[in-house]
Amino acid sequence: GESVGLHLPTLSVQEGDNSIINCAYSNSASDYFIWYKQESGKGPQFIIDIRSNMDKRQGQRVTVLLNKTVKHLSLQIAATQPGDSAVYFCAETSGSARQLTFGSGTQLTVLP
Amino acid sequence: EAGVVQSPRYKIIEKKQPVAFWCNPISGHNTLYWYRQNLGQGPELLIRYENEEAVDDSQLPKDRFSAERLKGVDSTLKIQPAELGDSAVYLCASSEAGAKYFGPGTRLLVL
């Protein structure tokens, strides 16, 4: 079946460095993608989204890149801070389905 | 602006007991979702409401799970009877168009 997966389960970066979290998806009909951040004991928090008619979108310290050719999504966090430590999920949905499919998550740890 | 509100935050029950979770979505959001999240995994959809209508409940285990959203605002999710495997975080989310916003979840432990 269709799935959304993450390349790496864990990622450790030094404070101040840039972080890149990758995600692969397999549903070619996916047209809307979201990155969520989930801290321990909390629900997923919306970070940034992107539609399939775009290949890049920037927010505050975050950038999402979409490569539809290889069905790959990435989240870049600039100047990573201790508060960025969390599990990051990519999620996708398609058209009118409105059902959000999540990957299994990447644990980002920011080292002092 | 208040986010999605859920209660209780934590619940511990013995197996075979009933349990209910409550969700108040973001004001004005017509679409409401219940998700279940197991440890170390992403959330999985249980049911989606458009206003008071359940439009996608294909993943809801209907033998023991039920949900309602009578007035198209608040929603409750019930499990009766609970089983050990139901231990998880139950997340409520709402959306108007596009991104879904999640509540803090209810962490359920079935003993």
Side-chain angles (χ1 to χ4, degrees):
Chain A
E2 303 290 3
S3 65
V4 177
L6 297 176
H7 291 308
L8 298 173
T10 62
L11 176 66
S12 296
V13 298
Q14 292 293 139
E15 181 178 355
D17 287 353
N18 296 334
S19 303
I20 300 176
I21 301 172
N22 295 303
C23 177
Y25 65 95
S26 57
N27 184 357
S28 57
S30 298
D31 59 3
Y32 181 55
F33 305 86
I34 307 173
W35 280 101
Y36 285 94
K37 171 187 179 183
Q38 188 172 25
E39 297 174 278
S40 180
K42 298 182 179 179
Q45 176 188 1
F46 172 89
I47 301 174
I48 192 168
D49 59 357
I50 189 169
R51 298 200 176 274
S52 58
N53 61 350
M54 303 173 66
D55 54 18
K56 180 180 180 179
R57 191 168 186 215
Q58 289 184 292
Q60 186 177 15
R61 284 202 306 119
V62 294
T63 301
V64 56
L65 299 177
L66 175 63
N67 186 330
K68 295 180 288 295
T69 302
V70 295
K71 298 189 186 69
H72 184 268
L73 191 69
S74 69
L75 176 70
Q76 300 178 2
I77 305 174
T80 313
Q81 302 170 359
D84 295 328
S85 293
V87 177
Y88 289 80
F89 293 97
C90 65
E92 59 88 17
T93 189
S94 59
S96 60
R98 305 191 71 173
Q99 179 174 335
L100 204 59
T101 301
F102 285 81
S104 57
T106 293
Q107 173 71 57
L108 174 66
T109 301
V110 182
L111 305 172
Chain B
E1 176 184 344
V4 177
V5 179
Q6 290 187 247
S7 69
R9 291 296 313 278
Y10 305 93
K11 190 74 176 179
I12 301 175
I13 60 172
E14 293 185 338
K15 63 181 180 181
K16 300 184 181 180
Q17 295 300 307
V19 64
F21 315 123
W22 175 81
C23 172
N24 181 246
I26 293 173
S27 178
H29 283 193
N30 295 326
T31 308
L32 182 146
Y33 311 77
W34 282 103
Y35 285 83
R36 175 169 59 190
Q37 185 176 27
N38 293 309
L39 188 64
Q41 299 181 16
E44 296 176 326
L45 180 68
L46 292 174
I47 189 168
R48 172 169 66 93
Y49 281 93
E50 294 289 347
N51 298 302
E52 67 274 10
E53 182 181 0
V55 295
D56 183 358
D57 63 356
S58 57
Q59 303 302 313
L60 190 72
K62 298 181 183 62
D63 57 336
R64 297 183 299 106
F65 285 65
S66 64
E68 60 183 16
R69 193 185 185 199
L70 295 176
K71 297 183 179 180
V73 181
D74 294 6
S75 177
T76 56
L77 177 68
K78 299 178 182 178
I79 308 175
Q80 183 171 9
E83 297 179 352
L84 296 177
D86 296 331
S87 295
V89 176
Y90 291 83
L91 293 161
C92 180
S94 69
S95 68
E96 182 56 29
K100 297 169 179 58
Y101 295 88
F102 286 81
T106 297
R107 188 175 298 273
L108 174 67
L109 179 59
V110 182
L111 303 176

